[in-house]
Amino acid sequence: MANENKMIRRGTVLLAALAALFTSGVLPAAGSEAAPADPVTSHPPVPPSPRAVPPAPPSPGAASGTAASSAPRASRQPAAPPGAAVPSGPSRQAPPGSQRQPSSDNTPPAPGVPSQPGQSSQSGQPSQPAEPSEPRTLLDPAAPDAPEDPTAPGAPDVPGGQPSLIRGDPRSFGAEVYKGYAFDACQAPSAATMRAWKRASPFGAVGVYIGGRGRACPRQKHLTPEWVRGVHKLGWKLLPLYVGSQSPCVRAAHKRKVRMSTSGPYAQGKREGLDAVRQAKRFHMVRHSAVYLDMEAYSYRDKSCAATTLRFIQGWNSAVRAQGYVAGFYSSADSGVSHLEKARAAGARGLPTALWFARWNVPKSLDGERGINRRAWQPHRRIHQYTGNVKRTYGGHTAHIDQNLVDAPVAVVG
């Protein structure tokens, strides 16, 4: 009995040892699962290759249907250096100073491709955009252009919206303005007269007739490119006048031989406007210069004649502005200027930037002309010719002139 009990105890110990051996993890039983590793003492798993990581789900608000390969996600990026900003998919910020072009599908630009001109594709820093060719058009935002189509909005007798007062400082779009007294003469005075008058006269600007088939003094004895540069160096400002084709109902008999065509006046105005700019350039008057169309008195109450004349003026203005020059207009206060003021009030387009109005033998005034709305063509957009064909002598030199009070754009001599 004692031996039997001893064998039973030995068998029990042997069974316990075998059980411990089977459950130690060294020799797992067939078909059993290994025990989970101790989370404290075990090593973290090695992260899989970035290529094996599936793309992150789109962020809230991102457009559906965006291709996963259109941009790298945050999980695909290498670790950023300390202090560096980490891009984060479609909503990532552009590099400082660069401009980011919004995309319709919230997809950022591909790496190495600038989002828009001005952003460098190499460093992420803004780069200077390619220098465009210098624009020629010089638009006056207060005087919107008139369409060529006579039936389009803004053409004569076609409503063109609310009338503009043609207000604003012309210097804001590049014009050079002179304020003070000026004279003009059919023949530009000699250089000696200009030197003497610069010292002794009250004038600081001179009107010169640079061209046009209606010019009264086509043979200018003194007006040359060298004369222009010479008087400019003396300190004179220049007011170039172009006497082109005249209204079909022009009053002066000697101007009727240069009346404009009643068919295609807009196109004819454009052709002569281009010639006006050519003449200005010939005299070293560069972009941003004012050029004034001289339209002698006409019967603007004749509706057909007025419509033709207005179309010519609109075409002339359009061509002058398209070449980068400032379009001005000279006429008598009771005819051409009154006509343009009524056209302005009716919503016409393509009107001049500045008005040079002739009303003689009245007190000189830029704001008191009864034929112009007091608030229109302001500021720095008016010239008043207050006397005409008078003889004046300064510094021993005499000339026949018209006298003007000016606050308006002048030529820019280059």
Side-chain angles (χ1 to χ4, degrees):
M1 188 70 177
N3 290 333
E4 183 179 350
N5 289 337
K6 186 181 292 186
M7 293 179 66
I8 292 173
R9 286 197 297 272
R10 286 179 179 175
T12 303
V13 172
L14 181 60
L15 289 172
L18 290 172
L21 181 64
F22 290 145
T23 59
S24 65
V26 177
L27 295 174
S32 67
E33 294 183 2
D38 185 343
V40 175
T41 61
S42 64
H43 295 287
V46 177
S49 169
R51 294 182 180 179
V53 177
S59 59
S64 61
T66 302
S69 62
S70 63
R73 299 293 184 180
S75 61
R76 300 182 181 181
Q77 300 299 324
V86 180
S88 58
S91 60
R92 70 187 179 201
Q93 298 298 316
S98 68
Q99 295 181 338
R100 183 172 180 269
Q101 180 69 32
S103 173
S104 59
D105 62 356
N106 290 332
T107 304
V113 178
S115 61
Q116 67 177 30
Q119 179 176 323
S120 170
S121 62
Q122 299 297 325
S123 65
Q125 296 300 316
S127 62
Q128 294 297 324
E131 188 69 25
S133 58
E134 186 178 17
R136 304 179 76 185
T137 301
L138 184 67
L139 296 179
D140 179 355
D145 202 7
E148 294 191 39
D149 182 359
T151 65
D157 300 322
V158 180
Q162 293 296 318
S164 170
L165 286 170
I166 314 185
R167 291 185 62 87
D169 192 333
R171 293 174 295 187
S172 66
F173 51 87
E176 182 178 316
V177 165
Y178 167 77
K179 296 178 66 175
Y181 291 99
F183 74 93
D184 63 276
C186 187
Q187 279 281 355
S190 67
T193 298
M194 297 301 292
R195 282 193 295 270
W197 281 37
K198 190 70 181 72
R199 294 189 298 266
S201 79
F203 306 115
V206 55
V208 291
Y209 292 85
I210 62 171
R213 69 191 193 103
R215 184 169 52 167
C217 297
R219 292 191 176 184
Q220 294 283 326
K221 294 183 293 184
H222 306 296
L223 182 60
T224 64
E226 293 71 28
W227 183 93
V228 168
R229 282 190 165 164
V231 300
H232 180 257
K233 287 181 180 179
L234 291 173
W236 288 98
K237 299 300 180 182
L238 297 167
L239 294 159
L241 289 138
Y242 183 89
V243 192
S245 296
Q246 297 296 296
S247 173
C249 49
V250 63
R251 293 173 184 167
H254 66 284
K255 296 291 185 184
R256 291 174 187 164
K257 62 184 179 181
V258 292
R259 287 179 290 188
M260 66 188 65
S261 171
T262 55
S263 62
Y266 190 96
Q268 184 179 9
K270 287 187 71 172
R271 289 193 298 272
E272 296 194 23
L274 290 174
D275 182 60
V277 171
R278 280 193 295 269
Q279 301 306 320
K281 289 179 178 178
R282 186 167 71 89
F283 292 112
H284 306 301
M285 300 172 184
V286 299
R287 289 186 74 250
H288 299 96
S289 291
V291 184
Y292 291 84
L293 173 63
D294 184 326
M295 190 70 65
E296 296 298 318
Y298 57 95
S299 303
Y300 75 91
R301 289 183 175 83
D302 179 329
K303 290 185 177 181
S304 176
C305 178
T308 297
T309 307
L310 179 59
R311 287 304 277 165
F312 178 92
I313 295 168
Q314 290 169 324
W316 193 91
N317 291 343
S318 174
V320 168
R321 289 185 176 125
Q323 296 296 308
Y325 286 68
V326 180
F329 180 78
Y330 167 89
S331 191
S332 63
D334 285 335
S335 66
V337 171
S338 183
H339 176 207
L340 291 196
E341 168 58 21
K342 291 181 186 302
R344 182 205 62 77
R349 297 292 186 259
L351 300 180
T353 288
L355 286 185
W356 187 341
F357 54 94
R359 188 179 294 281
W360 297 354
N361 305 318
V362 297
K364 49 186 174 291
S365 172
L366 295 171
D367 302 325
E369 171 50 44
R370 62 178 183 266
I372 310 173
N373 184 306
R374 289 183 65 87
R375 296 177 58 234
W377 278 287
Q378 295 280 12
H380 313 305
R381 294 172 180 261
R382 295 189 180 193
I383 303 174
H384 178 199
Q385 188 183 85
Y386 57 89
T387 61
N389 196 27
V390 296
K391 186 168 68 174
R392 294 289 184 267
T393 302
Y394 297 101
H397 291 257
T398 302
H400 286 83
I401 63 169
D402 304 329
Q403 298 180 111
N404 307 272
L405 180 61
V406 181
D407 183 6
V410 295
V412 179
V413 177

